[in-house]
Amino acid sequence: MGSDGARLAGVNPCRFAGWPRGLAALALGLLALFLVLSVWTPVTHVAGEAKPAGELAHENAERPRDFDLALYDRVIERLRGGEHYYDFIAEEQRKAEFPLRPAVAVRLPTLAHVNARLGETGLVIASFALLFAVLIAWWRRLGEEEPSSAVRLSAMALLVFGASLGTARYFFTLHELWAGMLLALAFALHRPGRWGAALAVAALALAIREHALPFVLLMAAMAGWRRDWREAAAWSGLALAFLLALAWHIHTVNQMLLPSDGESAPWLVLRGLTGFTSNMVLSSNLRFLDGAIAAPLVILALFGWAGWSRPAGQFGALLFMGYGLLFMLAGRPDNYYWGFMVTPAFFMGLAFAPRALKGLLTAVARR
């Protein structure tokens, strides 16, 4: 056991174990409320349409390639032909009847270049290498922070459940898939005082999809909370460098716009709880279950992270609650794939949920 493990050895792994009775009762009531609400909250991927998650998964398996994935396929082929991304991307989006306004509707070129260079075989190798890296990194981190071998093994099984989609060839052109796997790896690699590898991996995720920015900002905030100003400056510097690069991307795309180019439908649509549960279910292997079963599992996974008192639990609870709030406020139903940003590691929370529930019940029963 390393120094971090020795320091945590005497700390109760359940955050709720020492809570006052009234606060524990309130938390238990809120958990019950959200579980009931999730059962009745529809899982949707099209505005105004609600279907069981299992039925949606069946449709996805039978339908032809999604329009956005087909667009990225054409972009990759043109890059392999020697063309430059910004010379043709506006043309391709117009052909596909995809909006160019605002400019962030045009994806960053990073993943398209990676796909063009590696080819399908290279991407298969890269996806499995990334999966194994995530599994190894989390095995080590859980070994440092989780005292129960049974919980550790359960968490690893659930990590395989969540991260295995990272090897799905169908989604190799999907930016959120790679960015989410990289964030899961960065999360596992991070340690206070040893954050260089996590920073580098998160930087690659950010270069692929701007939706990785909340992860980077939370890392900066947590480092500041610990008064580790050097680390806080590093994460803040990464965020600033990315924003400058994004500004250049936006400026470049804006130079291509025509008066006839369409505007994207609004992303701020305030979907509420269904935005969170739908994104998490449809971006994971839970999509094969009925929504009334799958959605409560999402709530329980988040509850498990909130109840784990280790540093990984503290960061994970804030991270997943933050993205959950984002999905409740922003993103249309057809943007459900944003959930890939966090689903690789998210369902590990189910391994911590039984202990968290026991801690709450113990606290409520305490006189």
Side-chain angles (χ1 to χ4, degrees):
M1 183 179 291
S3 58
D4 291 338
R7 177 175 57 84
L8 293 170
V11 179
N12 192 318
C14 179
R15 186 188 314 278
F16 305 134
W19 275 23
R21 184 181 183 185
L23 184 59
L26 176 62
L28 195 60
L30 288 173
L31 173 63
L33 174 63
F34 277 102
L35 286 173
V36 171
L37 289 175
S38 67
V39 170
W40 297 104
T41 298
V43 171
T44 60
H45 78 318
V46 178
E49 181 179 358
K51 295 183 178 180
E55 186 175 338
L56 294 178
H58 180 69
E59 288 182 2
N60 289 346
E62 293 185 342
R63 72 185 183 193
R65 195 148 175 81
D66 286 349
F67 292 124
D68 50 350
L69 299 182
L71 166 63
Y72 304 145
D73 289 340
R74 293 193 299 273
V75 169
I76 292 164
E77 286 303 314
R78 294 187 70 163
L79 287 174
R80 286 174 180 159
E83 297 183 70
H84 297 286
Y85 184 82
Y86 290 106
D87 289 345
F88 66 79
I89 187 60
E91 172 193 342
E92 285 294 340
Q93 295 224 171
R94 291 186 188 108
K95 285 182 181 177
E97 298 183 352
F98 274 44
L100 283 96
R101 304 175 190 270
V104 290
V106 177
R107 293 288 183 267
L108 296 166
T110 311
L111 184 60
H113 281 288
V114 171
N115 275 264
R117 289 293 182 91
L118 293 182
E120 185 172 356
T121 300
L123 288 169
V124 170
I125 295 171
S127 70
F128 277 97
L130 182 54
L131 174 61
F132 288 135
V134 169
L135 296 178
I136 292 169
W138 270 108
W139 177 254
R140 291 176 175 173
R141 180 148 194 183
L142 287 168
E144 296 173 8
E145 299 190 24
E146 176 50 55
S148 168
S149 58
V151 172
R152 184 186 185 193
L153 290 172
S154 297
M156 288 301 299
L158 288 160
L159 177 61
V160 173
F161 172 83
S164 60
L165 272 182
T167 61
R169 294 188 185 189
Y170 184 86
F171 295 114
F172 276 172
T173 57
L174 190 65
H175 300 72
E176 290 80 3
L177 184 77
W178 294 94
M181 289 292 289
L182 289 166
L183 291 187
L185 178 58
F187 184 178
L189 290 173
H190 181 267
R191 308 289 190 281
R194 291 182 287 133
W195 42 265
L199 182 78
V201 173
L204 180 55
L206 198 54
I208 291 174
R209 193 67 165 109
E210 64 272 17
H211 289 0
L213 187 59
F215 178 95
V216 173
L217 295 177
L218 180 59
M219 278 290 187
M222 295 293 282
W225 180 262
R226 295 191 302 270
R227 298 184 182 277
D228 186 340
W229 306 121
R230 183 182 178 190
E231 181 182 348
W235 288 104
S236 300
L238 173 59
L240 178 60
F242 169 74
L243 290 174
L244 291 174
L246 183 62
W248 178 86
H249 171 78
I250 291 172
H251 172 76
T252 303
V253 173
N254 282 336
Q255 304 309 304
M256 311 171 187
L257 296 180
L258 301 175
S260 57
D261 286 329
E263 189 88 19
S264 173
W267 286 301
L268 190 64
V269 293
L270 307 179
R271 296 173 66 202
L273 185 61
T274 189
F276 174 42
T277 56
S278 295
N279 285 11
M280 303 305 284
V281 170
L282 296 174
S283 297
S284 73
N285 286 314
L286 286 184
R287 68 192 189 280
F288 296 107
L289 299 177
D290 187 272
I293 299 172
L297 291 175
V298 172
I299 302 300
L300 286 174
L302 183 59
F303 170 70
W305 279 104
W308 194 30
S309 66
R310 299 318 199 211
Q314 295 166 3
F315 181 83
L318 291 173
L319 178 72
F320 298 130
M321 284 192 286
Y323 274 99
L325 180 61
L326 172 66
F327 298 156
M328 291 171 72
L329 298 176
R332 302 182 301 271
D334 59 343
N335 298 136
Y336 68 86
Y337 50 83
W338 289 5
F340 278 122
M341 295 298 302
V342 288
T343 51
F346 175 76
F347 293 103
M348 294 170 66
L350 288 170
F352 315 125
R355 184 172 55 202
L357 180 58
K358 181 181 178 181
L360 274 185
L361 292 173
T362 301
V364 170
R366 186 184 302 120
R367 296 186 179 276

